[in-house]
Amino acid sequence: MLLKKIKNIVIFFNGDRGIAVYHKLRKKYNLNLIITNSKKIKKKIKKNKVVYVSNVNNKIIYKLLKKQKADLFISAGFSNIFKKKLLKIPTYGVINLHAGPVPKYRGGSPLNWQLINNEKCFTLSVLKMDEGIDTGPVIINKKMIIKKNYDIKKLH
């Protein structure tokens, strides 16, 4: 099974959903590096190596990521588009934990849009990343009910 082969992961995230993913993954995997473009995240997670970036595609970050010898990159609410060069670094590619069904809710703030559009359910999608915006192949979708008392914070 592929999951047993994965040892080293680099995670890219910004918000609460990313922090939840981080806490879940750190128990099972070696999180070599955490990349964020949120200074708040850098302050919240002090134990691991956390790097703040405004552009994940710059040469310095590329060299740093290449050194990690990661099996997998995971993006959870990270706002940069990865160039092809970056997508080729990890052994098993890059997955995006996207908070909406694609293609209907591609792009930013999909949870907000699902609430605004009065959807009865929200969907979390795991995609293999490519150079587009949420255009890679879907690995899995998980649909969940939006309860009447849910606001955006509860969805996250």
Side-chain angles (χ1 to χ4, degrees), residues 24-145:
K24 198 78 162 165
L25 290 175
R26 74 185 176 115
K27 294 173 186 174
K28 278 189 166 182
Y29 300 99
N30 177 23
L31 300 178
N32 286 13
L33 185 65
I34 296 161
I35 305 285
T36 185
N37 42 25
S38 166
K39 291 181 180 176
K40 290 178 188 175
I41 298 296
K42 191 163 169 55
K43 289 176 187 174
K44 283 185 181 182
I45 299 174
K46 296 173 184 168
K47 290 181 182 178
N48 286 65
K49 190 173 182 182
V50 180
V51 175
Y52 170 82
V53 298
S54 58
N55 177 6
V56 75
N57 294 295
N58 76 41
K59 289 178 185 177
I60 294 166
I61 297 301
Y62 176 80
K63 286 178 185 176
L64 176 66
L65 290 169
K66 193 88 170 140
K67 281 184 198 175
Q68 301 306 309
K69 298 190 185 325
D71 297 314
L72 184 68
F73 288 174
I74 297 175
S75 174
F78 191 71
S79 59
N80 285 194
I81 298 169
F82 291 51
K83 290 192 176 172
K84 193 173 194 171
K85 190 175 172 181
L86 274 184
L87 295 170
K88 289 182 174 185
I89 293 173
T91 308
Y92 299 108
V94 183
I95 59 172
N96 179 18
L97 309 179
H98 183 68
V102 292
K104 186 175 182 180
Y105 289 105
R106 286 180 43 219
S109 304
L111 287 175
N112 295 55
W113 285 111
Q114 290 169 90
L115 279 177
I116 290 166
N117 292 333
N118 293 312
E119 299 285 358
K120 303 287 183 237
C121 296
F122 69 100
T123 301
L124 300 177
S125 301
V126 178
L127 311 159
K128 180 154 180 157
M129 280 179 70
D130 61 16
E131 291 177 272
I133 299 172
D134 304 323
T135 56
V138 175
I139 298 167
I140 191 168
N141 282 320
K142 174 83 173 163
K143 212 176 218 189
M144 291 165 268
I145 295 170

